Amino acid sequence: GENVEQHPSTLSVQEGDSAVIKCTYSDSASNYFPWYKQELGKGPQLIIDIRSNVGEKKDQRIAVTLNKTAKHFSLHITETQPEDSAVYFCAAPLTGGGNKLTFGTGTQLKVEL
Amino acid sequence: EADIYQTPRYLVIGTGKKITLECSQTMGHDKMYWYQQDPGMELHLIHYSYGVNSTEKGDLSSESTVSRIRTEHFPLTLESARPSHTSQYLCASSAGFNYGYTFGSGTRLTVV
């Protein structure tokens, strides 16, 4: 089945700096890669996703890059703000398994003042 | 605005009680999922459904059961709760293959 590895597990940055979270996946047939943000006491919320026909997608301060050859994708947050502090999850679909997503183990991002 | 609703948000119950966690969505999604989230943050799929009268067990073995009698409703039941069932339970739905999930706010269950 699909295996998704996510690093780092915790990340602390100064406000205004950039943050990068990386994920690798095992199934070369995977073609959809979402990122979720989970704030304390809430469910995960989809913040950006990318499909395999593009290498990069941006939405204001967040961007996702995809390297299909190397089977890894990354979340980039620029000009971090305290409200970016949360747990971030990457995911990839389990091909042949319907629309089931396999999630990474999560990254606790802390943006310090 | 959330279009998927979970109730209750918090629940503390005694061992041996039967409980049902409710999940409803108004988006008309066929695909729905239940995840268990442990304190270490990882999300574990325990049940999923691809439509009415379709239910399957997920990757993590669970003593809970689910039903899907209506498209919008996907309740999870524990016949006899135990302290080991203490966890956060998240419900999600999806429009189809290669679409993101919409998650509910979760139910935090504590069994004492």
Side-chain angles (χ1 to χ4, degrees), chain A residues 50-61:
Chain A
I50 191 169
R51 288 181 168 78
S52 58
N53 57 341
V54 296
E56 182 176 4
K57 183 177 178 180
K58 294 181 77 171
D59 183 4
Q60 299 182 346
R61 294 187 298 109

Side-chain angles (χ1 to χ4, degrees), chain B residues 25-50:
Chain B
Q25 49 99 2
T26 59
M27 298 171 283
H29 289 169
D30 285 327
K31 295 168 177 57
M32 296 189 74
Y33 311 83
W34 275 102
Y35 282 84
Q36 187 172 337
Q37 186 171 34
D38 58 28
M41 303 184 300
E42 284 194 60
L43 294 159
H44 301 286
L45 181 67
I46 52 176
H47 297 284
Y48 61 100
S49 166
Y50 290 156

Side-chain angles (χ1 to χ4, degrees), chain A residues 9 31-32 34 36 38 41-46 49 51 87 89 93-94 97-108, chain B residues 9-10 31 33 35 37 40-43 45 48 50 57 59 88 90 94-106:
Chain A
S9 57
N31 56 5
Y32 173 69
Y36 292 84
Q38 186 175 22
K42 298 183 179 179
Q45 181 180 13
L46 178 69
D49 56 14
R51 288 181 168 78
V87 178
F89 292 95
L94 181 69
N99 194 42
K100 289 191 291 179
L101 291 174
T102 298
F103 285 85
T105 49
T107 296
Q108 176 77 61
Chain B
R9 286 295 311 277
Y10 304 93
K31 295 168 177 57
Y33 311 83
Y35 282 84
Q37 186 171 34
M41 303 184 300
E42 284 194 60
L43 294 159
L45 181 67
Y48 61 100
Y50 290 156
K57 289 188 177 295
D59 306 319
Q88 162 102 312
L90 289 161
S94 173
F97 299 121
N98 289 346
Y99 283 85
Y101 291 178
T102 301
F103 280 90
S105 297

Side-chain angles (χ1 to χ4, degrees), chain B residues 7 10 20 25 46 53 65 68-69 71 82 93 95 98 111:
Chain B
T7 57
Y10 304 93
T20 295
Q25 49 99 2
I46 52 176
N53 294 326
T65 59
R68 190 86 183 279
I69 298 172
T71 297
R82 295 206 301 268
S93 72
N98 289 346
V111 184

